[in-house]
Amino acid sequence: MQELSNVIASKYEEIVDKIKSFSSEYLNEEYENICVKAAETLCLNNEDKLKKSKSFSWAAGIVHAIGTINDLFDSKEEPYIKAIDLYKEFGVSSSTGSSKSKEVKTLLDLSKENTKW
């Protein structure tokens, strides 16, 4: 990974810790790895934006955004979680979680067609 500034490096660590904690209970290793990679990409390319919000909001937004394009909220798939339960686990409101997810999708160009994620 490229070098992060001290300010963003600590935020990155907080985001990743929250993602890993959530993943150990609700996701699988593949989801965790994708979410951590997304956090790394965001921190490397969007330092100013990342500084403006709390790490748990970014963590929720990352997991929700990745989950949206990978059917995490489809009860027929595994792993599965309801979006509202995801927000609760990260301690964010549904409006915060969904708006941060939308921002993550925009910043990372996330879509079902973009198979990178």
Side-chain angles (χ1 to χ4, degrees):
M1 181 165 100
Q2 290 176 320
E3 234 8 73
L4 296 171
S5 71
N6 288 341
V7 172
I8 206 67
S10 63
K11 182 153 275 190
Y12 169 78
E13 290 301 323
E14 290 173 7
I15 293 168
V16 168
D17 286 347
K18 288 168 182 20
I19 289 171
K20 286 183 175 186
S21 176
F22 179 82
S23 294
S24 69
E25 190 165 343
Y26 296 100
L27 302 177
N28 57 32
E29 187 177 357
E30 184 179 12
Y31 258 105
E32 180 180 314
N33 291 339
I34 292 168
C35 290
V36 168
K37 181 67 177 166
E40 178 183 324
T41 302
L42 281 171
C43 288
L44 286 170
N45 300 319
N46 303 283
E47 185 171 334
D48 289 340
K49 288 190 181 285
L50 270 287
K51 287 178 186 177
K52 295 178 183 175
S53 298
K54 297 184 185 239
S55 56
F56 57 83
S57 298
W58 281 110
I62 290 166
V63 173
H64 186 274
I66 297 296
T68 299
I69 63 167
N70 289 294
D71 301 319
L72 181 61
F73 310 113
D74 182 345
S75 61
K76 296 177 199 100
E77 297 294 325
E78 192 63 39
Y80 161 75
I81 189 171
K82 292 179 181 176
I84 192 74
D85 294 333
L86 182 148
Y87 300 142
K88 269 188 214 170
E89 289 298 319
F90 282 100
V92 300
S93 69
S94 58
S95 63
T96 297
S98 63
S99 67
K100 198 53 72 181
S101 175
K102 184 177 180 180
E103 189 173 358
V104 168
K105 287 177 193 173
T106 300
L107 292 171
L108 295 178
D109 187 31
L110 292 179
S111 66
K112 290 214 181 235
E113 293 77 36
N114 184 351
T115 57
K116 175 181 178 180
W117 304 102

